[in-house]
Amino acid sequence: MALPTKAAHECKRPLLDSNGSKNQYWRQITDLAVRKGGPQPLQDEPSLGERILRFLDLGSTAVFAFEGAVVAMDVGHMDLLGCTIIGTIVAIGGGTLRDLILTAGTKGAAPRPFWIDDPIYVYISVLTCVATLFFWPAVRESDWNTDLAVIVAADALGLATFAVVGSINGLSAGIAPSLCVLCGMMTATFGGLMRDVLTFQPVRILHSEKELYASCAMLGSVAYLLSKQFSLPSTWRMAISIFVTCFVRYVAVVYGIRLPTARDVEDMWGLSPISNATSV
């Protein structure tokens, strides 16, 4: 999610999309687990897949910032500063937390999130939040809302893109594949988790009030890792992962698929609700 750093030239382990012999890196998008210094100039022209992922990454940042600002306006009743902070947290919060975890304990430098070296993510988030505050109320009067199909689709694409970026960062850091799945899910959804906490709402990914969400990002990350196991080209890995995430999210929205809760299990076994049992 940021330009490569000096560590890209010092890291002994090839990055995700190294071809082994030429040892070319997936530049432009991937963050290393170890950061030393600011951005370094690109040595190779980014491929088409890299350019597409970069474009999707920046676009997804704007989509998530917009959604965060809308929640801050409607639920939190916040002012311009509050909407900007909440929207920015939704857009870059998951990736920030990911980077702080992956870089914790590294030698030579304190942990630093991706947007320190590539502040365009902050600029996009802030501008989107400001525009949302001033223009969304007027747009909403023409029967637009966040449940509109185009907004739900954009959110799903953002979810899928962030899951890919998180998976790439996890693999580049050399962590276990299972933790890379968690890394992808964290990048895609933990900004929203922080939004819900700050606006005093039930955390969306921890409740079944709405359709599958974090699970879609996890499945997309799994698809990326499996594609890598089969040595598919990087562009195909990205495309397969994004397709899986978007498809699962689409099915979940259309058919109202949710994860089971304790109440569902009680109904399945014909048991008394937990709330009644604990009140006795």
Side-chain angles (χ1 to χ4, degrees), residues 6 29 32 43 159 179:
K6 183 179 177 183
I29 303 299
L32 290 179
Q43 302 299 320
L159 183 75
L179 297 180

Side-chain angles (χ1 to χ4, degrees), residues 174-280:
I175 62 178
S178 58
L179 297 180
C180 290
V181 174
L182 179 61
C183 205
M185 187 271 287
M186 178 186 300
T187 304
T189 64
F190 272 38
L193 183 152
M194 289 184 269
R195 171 204 63 203
D196 293 339
V197 171
L198 292 173
T199 55
F200 304 102
Q201 296 186 93
V203 178
R204 178 180 186 178
I205 65 172
L206 302 182
H207 299 79
S208 284
E209 296 177 355
K210 294 188 177 181
E211 304 83 6
L212 295 179
Y213 196 76
S215 303
C216 303
M218 294 181 70
L219 290 174
S221 296
V222 170
Y224 191 96
L225 295 172
L226 290 176
S227 300
K228 184 178 186 302
Q229 283 296 112
F230 286 101
S231 301
L232 295 180
S234 58
T235 303
W236 279 101
R237 302 176 204 172
M238 176 188 72
I240 291 172
S241 176
I242 290 176
F243 172 79
V244 169
T245 302
C246 291
F247 178 75
V248 175
R249 177 68 180 145
Y250 170 80
V251 172
V253 171
V254 171
Y255 295 99
I257 300 175
R258 298 173 172 84
L259 291 176
T261 64
R263 179 61 59 87
D264 297 326
V265 175
E266 292 164 357
D267 293 340
M268 180 181 69
W269 293 105
L271 302 175
S272 299
I274 292 177
S275 57
N276 293 344
T278 55
S279 62
V280 175

Side-chain angles (χ1 to χ4, degrees), residues 65 84 88 120-133:
T84 302
T88 302
I120 188 173
Y121 293 93
V122 178
Y123 302 154
I124 289 176
S125 299
V126 171
L127 289 175
T128 301
C129 292
V130 172
T132 300
L133 179 67

Side-chain angles (χ1 to χ4, degrees), residues 134-146:
F134 284 101
F135 294 105
W136 177 247
V139 173
R140 187 168 45 194
E141 288 297 318
S142 59
D143 294 330
W144 278 62
N145 58 71
T146 53

